[in-house]
Amino acid sequence: MLTSFSLSQLILISAAYLLALFGVAWLSDRGFVPRWIIRHPLTYTLSLGVYASAWAFYGTVGLAYQYGYGFLASYLGVSGAFLLAPVLLYPILRVTRTYQLSSLADLFAFRFRSTWAGALTTVIMLIGVLPLLALQIQAVADSIGILTREPVHNRVALGFCALITLFTILFGARHIATREKHAGLVFAIAFESVVKLVALGGIGLYALYGVFDGPQDLEMWLLQNQVALSTLHTPLQEGPWRTLLLVFFASAIVMPHMYHMTFTENLNPRAMVSASWGLPLFLLLMSLAVPLILWANLKLGTTTNPEYFTLGLGIAVDNPLLALVAYVGGLSAASGLIIVMTLALSGMALNHLVLPLYQPPAEGNIYRWLKWTRRALIAAIIMASYGFYLLLGAEQDLANLGIVAFVATLQFLPGALSVLYWPTANRRGFIAGLLAGFGVWLFAMLLPLIGNLQGIYLPLFNAIYVLDDTSWHIAAIASLAANVLIFTLVSLFTEASPEERSAAEACAVDNVRRPQRRELVAGSPQEFATQLAKPLGAKTAQKEVEQALRDLHLPFDERRPYALRRLRDRIEANLSGLMGPSVAQDMVETFLPYKSGSESYVTEDIHFIESRLEDYHSRLTGLAAELDALRRYHRQTLQELPMGVCSLAKDQEILMWNRAMEELTEIPAQRVVGSRLPTISEPWKSLLEGFIHLPDEHLHKQRLTLDGQVRSLNLHKAAIEEPLAPGSSGLVLLVEDVTDTQLLEDKLVHSERLASIGRLAAGVAHEIGNPITGIACLAQNLREEREEDPELKEISSQIIEQTKRVSRIVQSLMSFAHAGGRQQASEPVCLADVTQDAIGLLSLNKRSVEVNFFNLCDPRHVAEGDPQRLAQVLINLLSNARDASPVGSAIRVRSEASEHTVDLIVEDEGSGIPKAIMDRLFEPFFTTKDPGKGTGLGLALVYSIVEEHYGQITIESPVDPEHQRGTRIRVTLPRFVEATSAVG
């Protein structure tokens, strides 16, 4: 026989294992375990193995002994729930993450908008899971008793409770709030699941190859012991099998430890996909060992209670190591469940029993108060479990205790399903149904368990309900039926409140919540902090507001109504994770209310719906996906429209601000969408508000000064009925920038006027030419006739000289007027002569700036080209130089020649050209002159003519860097070869 272990040895082993578990959690929290491992779907899947408690490690063998293959229901039920994850678990995960609902009580309090719903769920859950917690204590105490071969002492159970209380506080109550994820806890529970699986699998393999000599020997033994095989099949035809499936299916959702690990501690939502098949696989591997352990113990004739066959196998074969592995596996299973269960229950009790009755004073540190209160609740729950263990006297079977607890939590299944799939369910129906089902369970299962009753007399049926292992399923079905019936009837015949309907939309699988667009009393995050300081204290309020702003990526100076509504919702969600949804909702509604006058105009928040639809895009299928694609196409059309689009609600909240509007106004959409029109900057505020109040639907060529430039805009508007608020009309504004078109029109008109003047000048010059010729002839005759009179001869010579000058001017005018009107000629052009003609023509304008022109061109420098068009180049360059020069300054024109080219250089002493506009000088219609004083075509024409002559033009400015003044323009032209040779 096996040498027994001493109590001190087992206590030391227990403490060492729990310390190792804590060490795993501590190392992962400190970053020693790579982040990718902690967030890996396998880690999350293994953490869900907390479901396999001591009841699964020990009790399922007893369940197999009693119900045969019915023991598989405990695995298949949970597996079924996870296989339905897309329609069952993932929607709950979405709601819990969005609204920070850390427990089932939080979920019901949020969905039914009822403090009573959360409190009642917490109380019933606390009572209902006491048998399961007591089961863990009993399993550890019984294991120690079996291994030490001494009677089980209550002090052993108490010592285990004290130890597990300490480690539970270290695991989960070191942090401030339940809203924080415990990555260390998740990793430690995953480690604990591996220990259970290895321990149970190792014992199963020992049973197969140590007790039996492999699968063939096992098959031979089963053929010789048909009774052992038939006992596994028989119970499948009876009622408990189906009820077990339902009970364990519900436990995957409603059991506090499963809810906590599945939803609250979920670090990566995508891991749910892997868990939907990973957890069933994990449970399948655990279940494979159960019949092997059962048959091995039956073959050996183990005297241990069938529920402890896992432990008894090592004792029966006198293998201390095997017995110790079984003990550690059972300890791991029990401690994992107690740690997670009490963490979850303490959060529920804090949020729904303590805080609604007493809230900490705002002057103190609320976070510290919450942490210590939660620690006290953990200790109280574990001590209550110990008290229940003492009440039962350690006389109940583990399987029976587990089933009583699982049936109690079954009462929450109708409520959980209604959260997702029954929007018309209400708080009255939920509470009435829960009380009815709980009442049946209390009288049919809990009281007989405590009072050890054999049966209950039912006056209505004049019969005695027998309470034994074969009739518990009747009580389970009766309690669930009463719950569903009352829940359904009350919900059908009573109305849900508006708050409940809104919450139902938020929770429903197929709907997107449509929050209302209303105005808040508080107008900035700082006002939020000021208001929340009343219940939370200044430091805590500031911290919560800043956290919510970080979560939403909003600036602290945010004032948009849309963003403030989102901030309010986020603060409520964060406070829900801290204090529960009931307290958070009351606090936010009291201290961050909507304006009372805003009820007259309430519509859904279209912008929020758009953002949520973007989140749902990848999950839409069929017609919904096609409609969403159509919506996205139309929205993209509006976004890319080359015309500004601004959509306004009836209260002038901006719902859309497309890209063209962003470019035109230089106001990003992110800053204005969700704000009201009067909050945008000038001059757009006055322009758009003024247009809205005008009866005209169209305004053309409205002038608007922006950055010193005048813009020309066309405005259009149209009323639009809001789709989610019939009878409410918004506005859509279209803003079209026609500045370039207007400038083009002005330039064309001005160019046509210049062309007309040119034609008029040509005509005038032609008409002047005849009388000038006559005057020259008369002066010539007069000089020849009066040669003897020196004075008269001098006067006639001057007349002749002046008429020649007038002729040259007239010729220049006619040449300029006809420039460009004929094919380009290629002939020698003396740059000095062309320059002199241009200077002479510009000297006619006496109204321009008085400057001194100097023609320094070498008469030997001859270019090849059209003299008329090159004259036009010089006139434009000299005219621009004169306009940029101060009075009395000099403008010099000189020439330089090389072998194949000749350079014409124009240099002034003006203000220079800014570098910012240097690249745009040759663009058509670009000018820095005042309106009406320049067309912006001069330099563009110069560039075109020089290019036609196969030349180049370069600009250097400033010429004098010290005084930042002067501009030098160099025109490089082909040199006329024959002329150069003749001169040279």
Side-chain angles (χ1 to χ4, degrees):
M1 290 295 290
L2 176 69
T3 304
S4 62
F5 291 88
S6 68
L7 181 61
S8 58
Q9 284 177 325
L10 294 178
I11 291 174
L12 189 62
I13 290 169
S14 302
Y17 172 75
L18 290 174
L19 194 61
L21 204 61
F22 174 74
V24 169
W26 185 85
L27 288 173
S28 58
D29 274 340
R30 290 293 183 276
F32 292 102
V33 180
R35 182 179 174 82
W36 69 268
I37 294 179
I38 296 174
R39 298 183 67 87
H40 197 278
L42 178 61
T43 303
Y44 173 70
T45 302
L46 288 172
S47 73
L48 297 176
V50 71
Y51 168 79
S53 64
W55 183 83
F57 194 85
Y58 292 136
T60 46
V61 181
L63 202 65
Y65 182 83
Q66 185 177 1
Y67 292 107
Y69 283 123
F71 85 92
L72 289 171
S74 62
Y75 300 117
L76 295 177
V78 176
S79 299
F82 273 84
L83 290 172
L84 294 174
V87 296
L88 189 63
L89 302 181
Y90 196 86
I92 296 177
L93 177 64
R94 174 185 61 81
V95 175
T96 56
R97 287 180 71 88
T98 304
Y99 301 104
Q100 299 280 338
L101 308 175
S102 57
S103 68
L104 192 68
D106 285 0
L107 181 65
F108 289 147
F110 174 80
R111 163 61 181 85
F112 297 109
R113 289 301 187 185
S114 169
T115 305
W116 284 102
L120 187 62
T121 299
T122 303
V123 170
I124 293 177
M125 191 69 79
L126 283 169
I127 296 172
V129 300
L130 280 179
L132 188 60
L133 288 170
L135 181 155
Q136 314 304 315
I137 298 171
Q138 181 176 322
V140 174
D142 286 350
S143 300
I144 293 174
I146 291 170
L147 291 177
T148 58
R149 298 180 176 280
E150 295 178 5
V152 178
H153 295 291
N154 291 337
R155 61 186 175 86
V156 174
L158 181 61
F160 171 70
C161 289
L163 196 61
I164 204 69
T165 300
L166 173 64
F167 279 98
T168 302
I169 290 173
L170 291 175
F171 267 108
R174 290 179 293 128
H175 299 286
I176 292 172
T178 56
R179 69 183 177 206
E180 296 183 16
K181 305 296 182 187
H182 304 89
L185 173 66
V186 173
F187 192 67
I189 297 300
F191 173 78
E192 176 261 338
S193 295
V194 173
V195 171
K196 286 185 300 192
L197 181 61
V198 170
L200 197 61
I203 296 168
L205 288 173
Y206 184 89
L208 181 60
Y209 291 100
V211 178
F212 301 102
D213 290 330
Q216 291 182 347
D217 186 44
L218 173 61
E219 185 179 1
M220 187 69 69
W221 184 84
L222 288 174
L223 290 174
Q224 294 171 358
N225 296 269
Q226 290 291 331
V227 178
L229 201 56
S230 62
T231 53
L232 290 177
H233 289 282
T234 305
L236 291 180
Q237 284 82 37
E238 300 176 3
W241 160 252
R242 299 175 185 82
T243 310
L244 280 172
L245 273 177
L246 178 62
V247 166
F248 295 118
F249 174 86
S251 68
I253 310 168
V254 299
M255 271 291 186
H257 60 300
M258 288 303 292
Y259 187 100
H260 190 80
M261 296 309 299
T262 306
F263 306 120
T264 308
E265 296 293 353
N266 182 287
L267 301 173
N268 179 12
R270 302 181 72 87
M272 181 71 78
V273 178
S274 301
S276 64
W277 59 266
L279 183 63
L281 178 62
F282 172 84
L283 296 176
L284 172 65
L285 294 175
M286 287 198 69
S287 66
L288 291 176
V290 172
L292 297 175
I293 295 170
L294 175 62
W295 292 328
N297 279 278
L298 290 177
K299 178 183 180 181
L300 295 172
T302 306
T303 57
T304 312
N305 186 312
E307 293 185 321
Y308 293 104
F309 273 174
T310 306
L311 194 64
L313 184 60
I315 297 173
V317 297
D318 199 12
N319 188 329
L321 180 61
L322 193 65
L324 192 60
V325 167
Y327 172 73
V328 171
L331 175 69
S332 175
S335 58
L337 180 131
I338 292 176
I339 289 170
V340 179
M341 180 79 81
T342 50
L343 279 176
L345 290 174
S346 64
M348 292 170 66
L350 176 64
N351 290 346
H352 301 281
L353 299 181
V354 178
L355 286 172
L357 298 176
Y358 174 79
Q359 292 185 16
E363 294 79 20
N365 188 325
I366 290 178
Y367 298 125
R368 184 181 299 135
W369 185 91
L370 291 171
K371 179 170 65 178
W372 281 101
T373 304
R374 195 159 187 234
R375 289 176 174 178
L377 287 170
I378 288 172
I381 292 167
I382 293 177
M383 287 302 105
S385 305
Y386 174 71
F388 194 79
Y389 161 77
L390 294 179
L391 181 64
L392 296 177
E395 296 176 356
Q396 293 293 335
D397 293 338
L398 298 184
N400 192 27
L401 277 174
I403 286 172
V404 170
F406 282 115
V407 172
T409 56
L410 178 64
Q411 307 310 313
F412 298 106
L413 181 61
L417 295 177
S418 73
V419 166
L420 301 178
Y421 295 105
W422 192 14
T424 55
N426 59 40
R427 65 169 73 97
R428 296 184 184 89
F430 170 73
I431 291 173
L434 192 57
L435 288 173
F438 177 70
V440 174
W441 172 82
L442 189 69
F443 284 100
M445 298 194 75
L446 185 63
L447 292 181
L449 180 71
I450 297 173
N452 201 19
L453 301 177
Q454 301 301 315
I456 296 177
Y457 175 69
L458 302 175
L460 185 62
F461 299 98
N462 194 23
I464 295 177
Y465 169 64
V466 180
L467 301 168
D468 57 24
D469 295 339
T470 61
S471 61
W472 67 266
H473 64 283
I474 299 174
I477 295 300
S479 64
L480 184 62
N483 187 340
V484 172
L485 182 64
I486 300 298
F487 186 7
T488 304
L489 290 175
V490 175
S491 291
L492 288 176
F493 291 103
T494 57
E495 287 288 332
S497 66
E499 292 82 5
E500 283 183 273
R501 287 195 291 270
S502 175
E505 286 182 356
C507 296
V509 173
D510 298 325
N511 293 327
V512 179
R513 189 186 187 195
R514 299 191 294 272
Q516 295 174 340
R517 187 170 65 239
R518 296 165 62 186
E519 190 174 358
L520 289 162
V521 173
S524 68
Q526 189 56 53
E527 290 182 39
F528 277 45
T530 303
Q531 291 299 315
L532 289 174
K534 298 171 184 176
L536 295 176
K539 279 189 177 180
T540 306
Q542 191 74 18
K543 192 171 182 180
E544 289 298 320
V545 171
E546 288 175 359
Q547 179 62 48
L549 288 168
R550 281 195 298 272
D551 293 342
L552 297 172
H553 307 291
L554 295 175
F556 199 78
D557 58 351
E558 182 63 75
R559 289 184 174 272
R560 292 178 297 159
Y562 161 77
L564 294 179
R565 289 194 297 271
R566 297 289 75 74
L567 180 63
R568 180 185 189 270
D569 291 343
R570 187 66 194 184
I571 288 172
E572 182 178 342
N574 287 355
L575 289 177
S576 177
L578 189 68
M579 299 178 164
S582 299
V583 174
Q585 183 192 0
D586 290 342
M587 193 176 292
V588 168
E589 287 184 351
T590 303
F591 296 99
L592 298 176
Y594 289 105
K595 285 185 178 178
S596 56
S598 64
E599 279 87 354
S600 59
Y601 174 68
V602 177
T603 65
E604 283 84 0
D605 201 325
I606 296 174
H607 182 69
F608 182 72
I609 295 171
E610 285 268 347
S611 64
R612 290 297 300 274
L613 283 173
E614 289 299 319
D615 295 338
Y616 275 88
H617 171 63
S618 59
R619 283 180 268 163
L620 297 176
T621 57
L623 181 60
E626 293 178 14
L627 290 173
D628 183 63
L630 186 63
R631 173 194 68 82
R632 292 162 67 86
Y633 176 77
H634 286 310
R635 181 159 188 91
Q636 190 67 19
T637 301
L638 290 173
Q639 281 290 349
E640 302 299 337
L641 197 69
M643 181 184 293
V645 179
C646 170
S647 178
L648 301 174
K650 186 179 179 181
D651 58 353
Q652 292 194 3
E653 184 173 324
I654 298 172
L655 304 178
M656 185 177 190
W657 191 270
N658 75 344
R659 290 192 181 92
M661 203 71 175
E662 287 183 297
E663 293 171 3
L664 179 62
T665 62
E666 296 183 353
I667 303 174
Q670 189 177 6
R671 206 172 80 202
V672 295
V673 170
S675 62
R676 289 193 168 81
L677 190 62
T679 62
I680 68 172
S681 57
E682 293 287 0
W684 299 102
K685 172 190 170 185
S686 300
L687 176 72
L688 297 179
E689 279 193 318
F691 178 49
I692 286 172
H693 295 107
L694 288 176
D696 302 326
E697 292 185 353
H698 308 280
L699 283 179
H700 295 284
K701 298 182 180 178
Q702 295 297 300
R703 300 257 175 200
L704 189 70
T705 303
L706 289 174
D707 300 328
Q709 294 185 347
V710 178
R711 312 286 295 183
S712 185
L713 306 172
N714 288 346
L715 303 177
H716 315 273
K717 68 181 175 186
I720 250 182
E721 184 171 321
E722 295 190 19
L724 300 177
S728 298
S729 293
L731 275 177
V732 60
L733 305 179
L734 301 180
V735 183
E736 183 182 11
D737 186 3
V738 292
T739 306
D740 290 341
T741 306
Q742 184 65 40
L743 285 174
L744 183 59
E745 290 178 1
D746 293 344
K747 304 306 181 190
L748 289 173
V749 170
H750 188 62
S751 297
E752 182 61 31
R753 187 164 61 248
L754 288 178
S756 300
I757 292 171
R759 288 191 294 270
L760 179 62
V764 171
H766 186 268
E767 293 300 323
I768 291 176
N770 292 328
I772 289 300
T773 302
I775 293 171
C777 291
L778 292 173
Q780 182 70 25
N781 294 335
L782 184 62
R783 188 176 61 176
E784 291 176 356
E785 291 176 1
R786 300 292 181 96
E787 287 185 356
E788 67 283 356
D789 188 346
E791 184 179 354
L792 193 58
K793 184 178 179 180
E794 178 66 23
I795 291 172
S796 60
S797 295
Q798 289 179 0
I799 293 173
I800 292 170
E801 186 63 31
Q802 293 303 318
T803 55
K804 287 181 180 179
R805 184 182 175 194
V806 172
S807 295
R808 282 197 303 272
I809 292 171
V810 169
Q811 186 61 38
S812 297
L813 280 174
M814 291 185 69
S815 298
F816 182 70
H818 289 97
R822 61 189 179 191
Q823 293 294 323
Q824 177 181 327
S826 182
E827 56 183 271
V829 179
C830 179
L831 296 183
D833 293 345
V834 172
T835 301
Q836 194 59 44
D837 287 344
I839 292 173
L841 187 60
L842 288 173
S843 300
L844 295 175
N845 186 1
K846 300 302 181 182
R847 295 184 180 180
S848 61
V849 178
E850 294 279 345
V851 295
N852 299 312
F853 289 104
F854 295 97
N855 184 358
L856 306 177
C857 292
D858 191 332
R860 295 173 298 168
H861 292 163
V862 180
E864 183 179 357
D866 184 341
Q868 305 298 337
R869 293 178 69 77
L870 291 179
Q872 191 171 359
V873 167
L874 266 169
I875 289 170
N876 276 298
L877 293 179
L878 292 173
S879 176
N880 285 340
R882 181 180 60 186
D883 292 341
S885 298
V887 175
S889 62
I891 297 175
R892 296 175 178 84
V893 183
R894 56 190 174 86
S895 61
E896 294 177 358
S898 64
E899 186 177 353
H900 299 293
T901 61
V902 61
D903 290 349
L904 185 65
I905 302 165
V906 178
E907 189 172 317
D908 64 48
E909 298 172 351
S911 56
I913 301 172
K915 289 184 179 179
I917 65 169
M918 191 76 78
D919 294 336
R920 300 188 59 195
L921 288 177
F922 299 113
E923 291 181 9
F925 304 116
F926 177 77
T927 180
T928 58
K929 298 178 182 178
D930 294 335
K933 294 187 177 180
T935 65
L937 292 171
L939 286 178
L941 188 61
V942 165
Y943 185 84
S944 176
I945 294 172
V946 171
E947 197 174 48
E948 288 174 6
H949 283 74
Y950 305 101
Q952 291 181 341
I953 182 168
T954 57
I955 299 178
E956 182 184 348
S957 183
V959 176
D960 182 1
E962 184 179 348
H963 298 93
Q964 290 294 306
R965 68 182 182 184
T967 299
R968 181 184 296 130
I969 299 178
R970 181 184 296 268
V971 179
T972 303
L973 297 167
R975 188 171 184 179
F976 191 75
V977 179
E978 293 181 5
T980 306
S981 300
V983 174

Coordinates of all heavy atoms in Angstrom, one line a residue, residues 120-160:
L120 N -30.4 41.9 -8.4 CA -31.0 40.6 -8.3 C -30.2 39.6 -9.0 O -30.0 38.5 -8.4 CB -32.4 40.6 -9.0 CG -33.3 39.4 -8.8 CD1 -33.6 39.2 -7.3 CD2 -34.6 39.5 -9.6
T121 N -29.6 39.9 -10.1 CA -28.7 38.9 -10.8 C -27.5 38.6 -9.9 O -27.1 37.5 -9.7 CB -28.1 39.5 -12.1 OG1 -29.2 39.8 -13.0 CG2 -27.2 38.6 -12.8
T122 N -27.0 39.6 -9.2 CA -25.8 39.4 -8.3 C -26.2 38.6 -7.1 O -25.4 37.6 -6.8 CB -25.3 40.8 -7.8 OG1 -24.9 41.6 -8.9 CG2 -24.1 40.6 -6.9
V123 N -27.3 38.8 -6.5 CA -27.7 38.1 -5.3 C -28.0 36.6 -5.7 O -27.5 35.7 -5.0 CB -29.0 38.7 -4.7 CG1 -29.6 37.8 -3.6 CG2 -28.7 40.0 -4.1
I124 N -28.7 36.4 -6.8 CA -29.0 35.0 -7.2 C -27.8 34.3 -7.6 O -27.6 33.1 -7.3 CB -30.1 35.0 -8.3 CG1 -31.4 35.5 -7.7 CG2 -30.2 33.6 -8.9 CD1 -32.5 35.6 -8.8
M125 N -26.9 35.0 -8.3 CA -25.6 34.4 -8.7 C -24.8 34.0 -7.5 O -24.2 32.9 -7.4 CB -24.8 35.3 -9.6 CG -23.7 34.7 -10.3 SD -24.1 33.5 -11.5 CE -24.6 34.5 -12.9
L126 N -24.7 34.9 -6.5 CA -23.9 34.6 -5.3 C -24.5 33.3 -4.6 O -23.7 32.4 -4.2 CB -23.9 35.8 -4.3 CG -23.0 37.0 -4.7 CD1 -23.4 38.2 -3.8 CD2 -21.6 36.6 -4.5
I127 N -25.8 33.2 -4.5 CA -26.4 32.1 -3.8 C -26.2 30.8 -4.7 O -25.9 29.7 -4.2 CB -27.9 32.3 -3.5 CG1 -28.0 33.5 -2.6 CG2 -28.6 31.1 -3.0 CD1 -29.5 34.0 -2.4
G128 N -26.4 31.0 -6.0 CA -26.4 29.9 -6.9 C -25.1 29.2 -7.0 O -25.0 28.0 -7.2
V129 N -24.0 29.9 -7.0 CA -22.6 29.3 -7.2 C -22.0 28.9 -5.9 O -20.9 28.3 -5.9 CB -21.7 30.3 -8.0 CG1 -22.3 30.6 -9.3 CG2 -21.4 31.5 -7.2
L130 N -22.6 29.2 -4.7 CA -22.0 28.7 -3.5 C -21.8 27.2 -3.5 O -20.7 26.8 -3.0 CB -22.9 29.1 -2.3 CG -22.8 30.6 -1.8 CD1 -23.7 30.9 -0.7 CD2 -21.3 30.9 -1.4
P131 N -22.7 26.4 -4.0 CA -22.4 25.0 -4.0 C -21.2 24.6 -4.9 O -20.4 23.7 -4.5 CB -23.7 24.4 -4.6 CG -24.8 25.3 -4.3 CD -24.1 26.7 -4.4
L132 N -21.0 25.4 -5.9 CA -19.8 25.1 -6.8 C -18.5 25.5 -6.1 O -17.5 24.8 -6.2 CB -20.0 25.8 -8.1 CG -19.0 25.5 -9.2 CD1 -19.0 24.0 -9.6 CD2 -19.2 26.3 -10.5
L133 N -18.5 26.6 -5.4 CA -17.3 27.0 -4.7 C -17.1 26.1 -3.5 O -15.9 25.7 -3.2 CB -17.5 28.5 -4.2 CG -17.5 29.6 -5.2 CD1 -17.9 30.9 -4.6 CD2 -16.1 29.7 -5.8
A134 N -18.1 25.7 -2.8 CA -18.0 24.7 -1.7 C -17.4 23.4 -2.3 O -16.7 22.7 -1.6 CB -19.3 24.5 -1.0
L135 N -17.8 23.0 -3.5 CA -17.4 21.8 -4.1 C -15.8 21.8 -4.3 O -15.2 20.8 -4.0 CB -18.0 21.7 -5.5 CG -17.7 20.5 -6.4 CD1 -18.9 20.2 -7.3 CD2 -16.5 20.6 -7.2
Q136 N -15.3 23.0 -4.7 CA -13.8 23.1 -4.8 C -13.1 22.9 -3.5 O -12.1 22.2 -3.4 CB -13.5 24.5 -5.4 CG -14.3 24.9 -6.6 CD -14.3 23.9 -7.8 OE1 -13.3 23.4 -8.2 NE2 -15.5 23.6 -8.3
I137 N -13.7 23.6 -2.5 CA -13.1 23.4 -1.1 C -13.1 22.0 -0.7 O -12.2 21.4 -0.1 CB -13.8 24.4 -0.1 CG1 -13.6 25.8 -0.6 CG2 -13.3 24.2 1.3 CD1 -14.5 26.8 0.2
Q138 N -14.3 21.4 -0.9 CA -14.5 20.0 -0.5 C -13.5 19.0 -1.2 O -13.0 18.1 -0.7 CB -15.9 19.5 -0.7 CG -16.2 18.1 -0.3 CD -17.7 17.7 -0.4 OE1 -18.6 18.5 -0.1 NE2 -18.0 16.5 -0.8
A139 N -13.4 19.3 -2.5 CA -12.5 18.4 -3.3 C -11.1 18.5 -2.8 O -10.4 17.4 -2.7 CB -12.6 18.9 -4.8
V140 N -10.6 19.7 -2.5 CA -9.2 19.8 -2.0 C -9.1 19.2 -0.6 O -8.1 18.4 -0.4 CB -8.8 21.3 -2.0 CG1 -7.4 21.5 -1.3 CG2 -8.7 21.9 -3.4
A141 N -10.1 19.5 0.2 CA -10.0 18.9 1.6 C -10.1 17.4 1.5 O -9.4 16.7 2.3 CB -11.2 19.5 2.4
D142 N -11.0 16.8 0.7 CA -11.1 15.4 0.6 C -9.8 14.8 0.0 O -9.4 13.7 0.4 CB -12.3 15.0 -0.3 CG -13.6 15.2 0.4 OD1 -13.6 15.5 1.6 OD2 -14.7 15.2 -0.3
S143 N -9.2 15.4 -1.0 CA -8.0 14.9 -1.5 C -6.9 14.8 -0.5 O -6.1 13.8 -0.4 CB -7.5 15.8 -2.7 OG -8.5 15.9 -3.7
I144 N -6.8 15.9 0.3 CA -5.8 15.9 1.4 C -6.1 14.7 2.4 O -5.2 14.0 2.8 CB -5.8 17.2 2.1 CG1 -5.2 18.3 1.2 CG2 -4.9 17.2 3.4 CD1 -5.3 19.7 1.7
G145 N -7.4 14.6 2.7 CA -7.8 13.5 3.6 C -7.4 12.1 3.1 O -7.0 11.2 3.8
I146 N -7.7 11.9 1.7 CA -7.4 10.6 1.1 C -5.9 10.4 1.2 O -5.4 9.2 1.4 CB -7.9 10.6 -0.3 CG1 -9.5 10.6 -0.3 CG2 -7.4 9.4 -1.1 CD1 -10.1 10.8 -1.6
L147 N -5.1 11.4 0.8 CA -3.6 11.2 0.8 C -3.0 11.1 2.1 O -1.9 10.4 2.3 CB -3.0 12.3 0.0 CG -3.3 12.4 -1.5 CD1 -2.7 13.6 -2.2 CD2 -2.8 11.1 -2.2
T148 N -3.5 11.8 3.1 CA -2.9 11.7 4.5 C -3.5 10.6 5.3 O -3.0 10.3 6.4 CB -3.2 13.0 5.3 OG1 -4.6 13.3 5.3 CG2 -2.5 14.2 4.5
R149 N -4.6 9.9 4.8 CA -5.3 8.8 5.5 C -5.7 9.3 6.9 O -5.7 8.5 7.8 CB -4.3 7.6 5.6 CG -3.9 7.0 4.3 CD -3.0 5.8 4.5 NE -2.7 5.2 3.2 CZ -3.5 4.4 2.5 NH1 -4.7 4.1 3.0 NH2 -3.2 3.9 1.4
E150 N -6.1 10.5 7.0 CA -6.6 11.1 8.2 C -8.0 11.7 8.0 O -8.2 12.1 6.8 CB -5.6 12.1 8.8 CG -4.3 11.6 9.2 CD -3.4 12.8 9.7 OE1 -3.9 13.9 9.8 OE2 -2.2 12.5 10.0
P151 N -8.8 11.7 9.0 CA -10.1 12.4 8.8 C -10.0 13.8 8.4 O -9.0 14.5 8.8 CB -10.8 12.3 10.2 CG -10.0 11.2 10.9 CD -8.6 11.2 10.3
V152 N -10.9 14.3 7.5 CA -10.8 15.6 7.0 C -11.2 16.6 8.1 O -12.2 16.5 8.7 CB -11.8 15.8 5.8 CG1 -11.7 17.3 5.3 CG2 -11.4 14.9 4.7
H153 N -10.2 17.5 8.4 CA -10.5 18.5 9.4 C -10.9 19.8 8.8 O -10.4 20.2 7.7 CB -9.2 18.7 10.2 CG -8.8 17.5 11.0 ND1 -9.5 17.0 12.1 CD2 -7.7 16.7 10.9 CE1 -8.9 16.0 12.6 NE2 -7.8 15.7 11.8
N154 N -11.8 20.5 9.5 CA -12.3 21.8 8.9 C -11.1 22.9 8.8 O -11.2 23.7 8.0 CB -13.4 22.4 9.8 CG -14.6 21.5 9.7 OD1 -14.8 20.8 8.7 ND2 -15.5 21.5 10.7
R155 N -10.1 22.7 9.7 CA -9.0 23.6 9.7 C -8.2 23.5 8.4 O -7.6 24.5 8.0 CB -8.1 23.5 10.9 CG -7.5 22.1 11.1 CD -6.7 22.0 12.4 NE -6.2 20.6 12.6 CZ -5.0 20.2 12.1 NH1 -4.3 21.1 11.4 NH2 -4.6 19.0 12.3
V156 N -8.2 22.3 7.9 CA -7.5 22.1 6.6 C -8.2 22.9 5.5 O -7.6 23.6 4.7 CB -7.4 20.6 6.2 CG1 -6.8 20.5 4.8 CG2 -6.6 19.8 7.2
A157 N -9.5 22.8 5.5 CA -10.3 23.6 4.5 C -10.2 25.1 4.7 O -10.0 25.8 3.8 CB -11.8 23.1 4.6
L158 N -10.1 25.5 6.0 CA -10.0 26.9 6.3 C -8.6 27.4 5.9 O -8.5 28.5 5.3 CB -10.2 27.1 7.8 CG -10.1 28.5 8.3 CD1 -11.2 29.4 7.7 CD2 -10.2 28.6 9.8
G159 N -7.6 26.6 6.1 CA -6.2 27.0 5.7 C -6.2 27.2 4.2 O -5.6 28.1 3.7
F160 N -6.8 26.2 3.4 CA -6.8 26.4 2.0 C -7.6 27.6 1.6 O -7.1 28.4 0.7 CB -7.5 25.1 1.4 CG -7.8 25.3 -0.1 CD1 -6.7 25.3 -1.0 CD2 -9.1 25.4 -0.6 CE1 -7.0 25.4 -2.4 CE2 -9.3 25.6 -1.9 CZ -8.3 25.6 -2.8

